[in-house]
């Protein structure tokens, strides 16, 4: 007879635990981690200095409201700091939004190759994640709208999406918003917004500013290179800010992260350098990998999705093993329902050139 014991709420044990990108390759001296969309340029030196200075005061609680950081973000984007909430990474904010707006039996929509935290955060609340089809690895507004029921409470949209790298135009996002009932919360997750060089794109600021049911989430983990510090922010209508502030940890972001975040936000030149590096090498990788005969989904972010054939010896899994043996760590994305693809983050020039050379050798090893 089994002994009674505490049981997690329904949904929790249905969660497939999130598996982060690998960071080591056994037996390889020099490893290039290209599996987590981190920036190859690292953070701003000013952010590192601010972090180190804050390290001298670890005995102090941080400012729980992160006021100076919210003001710095407000100045950078022309936003009212009262409408900003900071989180321990944007993951924290995605979980808080799910917790605040979903209950047992509700539904939250995400696209089939959408960011994995959406179903995880949804299931954690007892609600049901609804995955809708994409078209050419891109969110399909009609499919999302067709999935809306009277149980729908949230639509999560990563724009650009991870791991596909595709984005919806602002017109399409507006059309999605227009089609949603006003009680449905549209979460625009713009973790990669800074990299997008398309003039039909808008991260969501305008839509948040002019509606009552849209939130935009951003992160310091990507272009700002502060992934280790766990720092994100969201811009939202005041009633949503109020709800999230009631349930977030009162000190959910730490002092050194606040200090580094302010310095990073203010170092516009560093951001520009990172963007330029990405623009150049994203195009180069897309072209060079395409020339090898592999399909690459056109990306607007800081990574590319590479599709492999199902031929024995040439699969994504085979490529992953081959590249890992050379110290090149990509992301195997079967958990995103993409078992025949690998996601490659844009790296340093050295890493990018090594990946293309290794892929060439990989394909030469097993002729089609
Ligand atoms: C689409 C998307 N949203 C959010 C995040 C979470 O970022 P963080 O929690 O580091 O801010 C990521 C990280 O990979 C992402 O790809």
């Amino acid at each position: 007879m089994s002994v009674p014991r505490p049981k997690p709420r329904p949904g929790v044990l249905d969660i497939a635990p999130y598996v982060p990108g690998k960071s080591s390759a056994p037996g390889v001296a020099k490893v290039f981690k290209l599996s987590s969309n981190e920036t190859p340029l690292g953070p701003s030196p000013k952010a590192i200095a601010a972090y180190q200075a804050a390290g001298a005061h670890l005995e102090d609680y941080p400012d729980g409201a992160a006021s100076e950081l919210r003001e710095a973000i407000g100045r950078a984007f022309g936003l009212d700091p009262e409408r900003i909430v900071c989180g321990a990474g944007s993951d924290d904010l995605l979980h808080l939004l799910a917790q605040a707006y979903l209950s047992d039996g509700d539904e939250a929509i995400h696209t089939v190759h959408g960011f994995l935290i959406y179903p995880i955060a949804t299931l954690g609340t007892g609600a049901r994640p609804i995955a809708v089809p994409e078209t050419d690895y891109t969110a399909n507004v009609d499919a999302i709208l067709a999935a809306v029921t009277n149980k729908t409470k949230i639509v999560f949209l990563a724009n650009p999406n991870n791991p596909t790298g595709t984005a919806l135009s602002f017109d399409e996002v507006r059309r999605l918003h227009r089609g949603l009932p006003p009680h449905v919360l549209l979460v625009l997750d713009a973790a990669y917004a800074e990299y997008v060089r398309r003039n039909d794109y808008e991260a969501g600021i305008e839509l948040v500013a002019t509606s009552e049911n849209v939130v935009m989430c951003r992160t310091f983990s990507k272009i700002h290179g502060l992934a280790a510090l766990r720092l994100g922010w969201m811009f939202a209508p005041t009633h949503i800010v109020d709800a999230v502030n009631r349930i977030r940890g009162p000190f959910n972001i730490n002092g050194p992260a606040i200090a580094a975040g302010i310095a990073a936000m203010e170092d516009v030149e560093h951001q520009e350098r990172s963007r330029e590096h990405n623009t150049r090498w994203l195009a180069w990788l897309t072209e060079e990998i395409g020339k090898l005969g592999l399909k690459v989904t056109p990306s607007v972010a800081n990574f590319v999705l590479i599709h492999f054939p199902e031929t024995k010896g040439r699969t994504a899994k085979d490529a992953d093993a081959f590249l890992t043996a050379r110290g090149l760590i990509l992301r195997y994305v079967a958990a995103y329902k993409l078992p025949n693809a690998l996601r490659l983050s844009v790296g340093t020039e050295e890493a990018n050139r090594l990946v293309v050379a290794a892929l060439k050798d990989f394909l030469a090893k097993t002729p089609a």
Side-chain angles (χ1 to χ4, degrees), residues 18 36-37 88-91 94 115 118 158 160 162 189 191-192 219-222 230-232:
Y18 184 84
S36 298
N37 302 339
S90 45
D91 280 355
L94 295 167
F115 185 45
Y118 311 146
N162 168 22
D189 178 356
Y192 301 95
T219 183
F220 281 86
S221 301
K222 306 300 172 186
R230 313 306 304 125
L231 194 57

Side-chain angles (χ1 to χ4, degrees), residues 178-203:
R178 269 198 308 273
L180 291 176
H183 69 272
V184 173
L185 177 62
L186 174 59
V187 177
L188 297 174
D189 178 356
Y192 301 95
E194 292 87 351
Y195 292 111
V196 184
R197 295 287 209 188
R198 249 172 52 181
N199 56 15
D200 64 353
Y201 173 83
E202 211 273 320

Side-chain angles (χ1 to χ4, degrees), residues 42-55:
S44 153
K46 292 175 184 161
I48 297 173
Y51 169 77
Q52 285 167 339

Side-chain angles (χ1 to χ4, degrees), residues 100-321:
Y101 290 95
L102 298 174
S103 317
D104 287 1
D106 287 342
E107 294 176 355
I109 295 173
H110 66 278
T111 65
V112 67
H113 306 304
F115 185 45
L116 273 183
I117 295 298
Y118 311 146
I120 291 175
T122 301
L123 283 165
T125 68
R128 217 156 67 90
I130 306 293
V132 304
E134 301 184 7
T135 304
D136 294 335
Y137 303 103
T138 308
N140 177 324
V141 169
D142 296 308
I144 296 172
L145 292 176
V148 173
T149 70
N150 57 9
K151 292 184 181 156
T152 308
K153 293 288 159 56
I154 296 184
V155 171
F156 288 107
L157 180 72
N159 201 35
N161 185 48
N162 168 22
T164 54
T166 55
L168 287 186
S169 69
F170 186 38
D171 280 351
E172 277 294 272
V173 176
R174 256 196 301 233
R175 186 164 79 82
L176 168 61
H177 177 246
R178 269 198 308 273
L180 291 176
H183 69 272
V184 173
L185 177 62
L186 174 59
V187 177
L188 297 174
D189 178 356
Y192 301 95
E194 292 87 351
Y195 292 111
V196 184
R197 295 287 209 188
R198 249 172 52 181
N199 56 15
D200 64 353
Y201 173 83
E202 211 273 320
I205 289 175
E206 191 185 322
L207 211 50
V208 175
T210 54
S211 52
E212 291 294 325
N213 64 334
V214 185
V215 172
M216 175 193 69
C217 293
R218 303 286 286 258
T219 183
F220 281 86
S221 301
K222 306 300 172 186
I223 202 151
H224 297 292
L226 297 177
L229 295 185
R230 313 306 304 125
L231 194 57
W233 58 280
M234 68 176 209
F235 176 53
T238 47
H239 65 99
I240 295 176
V241 166
D242 177 52
V244 169
N245 273 335
R246 285 169 196 259
I247 57 168
R248 72 174 171 84
F251 303 104
N252 61 334
I253 61 173
N254 65 76
I258 293 175
I262 294 169
M265 192 48 78
E266 289 174 349
D267 193 346
V268 177
E269 274 174 28
H270 184 76
Q271 293 165 41
E272 197 45 47
R273 261 195 304 280
S274 305
R275 201 173 359 252
E276 272 170 21
H277 175 91
N278 192 69
T279 303
R280 171 170 177 217
W281 289 102
L282 178 70
W284 186 84
L285 284 168
T286 306
E287 190 177 332
E288 295 299 317
I289 297 170
K291 278 194 222 159
L292 300 177
L294 294 170
K295 204 173 140 249
V296 179
T297 300
S299 167
V300 295
N302 68 338
F303 54 87
V304 287
L305 189 67
I306 311 168
H307 302 267
F308 290 83
E310 290 183 55
T311 326
K312 200 162 174 285
R314 289 194 147 212
T315 65
K317 238 188 174 142
D318 296 324
D320 193 28

